[in-house]
Amino acid sequence: MRALGRFLLVIPRALDADLMREQRMSASEYSVLRHLSEAPDHRMRMSELAAACDMSLSGMTRLAAKLESLGHLERIRCEEDARGANAVLTDRGLERLREAWPTHLASVRRHIFDHLGELDLDRLAAAFSAMATDV
């Protein structure tokens, strides 16, 4: 448990530091762009995006405003519910994600996968998924 606890504290910081140093992008910014890139029509409701990124709605609103000012996403009213808003990834945001992706991938490899050796990664991923859904 101590090793897992340390891992859960150190690894996100290391991944964030690598993105900040090499891309001038936080891990939270990367996460928003990645989630939007994987969503249908590159669009997500702000509340769903906040949950996917494990952020509060107010935190997501602030981060979306920053990403919008950079031209990486647009916020538009929900057609189904005028009270809500959708975040939509722009072409510029997708290009920015593509620029940052190699840095993030190298960081994940260096900090995580290079240490896993011969572990069965499919079983490890299944175990992590089971743990995440059991909460």
Side-chain angles (χ1 to χ4, degrees):
M1 274 311 301
R2 287 186 184 112
L4 179 60
R6 179 89 174 126
F7 173 85
L8 294 173
L9 289 173
V10 170
I11 294 302
R13 291 177 187 161
L15 299 176
D16 185 67
D18 288 347
L19 276 169
M20 285 301 295
R21 181 179 54 256
E22 295 182 32
Q23 295 292 326
R24 297 288 187 232
M25 172 187 279
S26 72
S28 295
E29 293 165 348
Y30 183 88
S31 181
V32 168
L33 298 180
R34 182 181 59 81
H35 281 290
L36 288 173
S37 77
E38 295 169 352
D41 298 322
H42 294 174
R43 173 187 312 243
M44 290 180 77
R45 192 174 175 99
M46 287 288 292
S47 58
E48 293 171 354
L49 184 57
C53 295
D54 196 29
M55 295 180 71
S56 68
L57 186 54
S58 63
M60 179 54 66
T61 299
R62 287 188 298 276
L63 184 53
K66 176 183 179 183
L67 292 171
E68 191 172 35
S69 74
L70 295 170
H72 297 161
L73 66 80
E74 294 177 353
R75 288 180 288 173
I76 59 172
R77 286 268 173 235
C78 285
E79 294 173 5
E80 320 74 59
D81 177 6
R83 295 175 298 158
N86 287 320
V88 181
L89 185 65
T90 64
D91 290 342
R92 186 173 179 178
L94 184 58
E95 180 57 34
R96 183 66 181 106
L97 177 64
R98 287 178 177 149
E99 290 171 4
W101 183 77
T103 296
H104 182 66
L105 180 61
S107 181
V108 168
R109 282 185 178 146
R110 183 173 59 257
H111 295 296
I112 300 171
F113 288 102
D114 287 353
H115 300 279
L116 296 180
E118 298 299 319
L119 282 177
D120 183 335
L121 296 181
D122 290 332
R123 287 185 63 200
L124 180 62
F128 284 157
S129 293
M131 287 182 246
T133 57
D134 191 37
V135 179

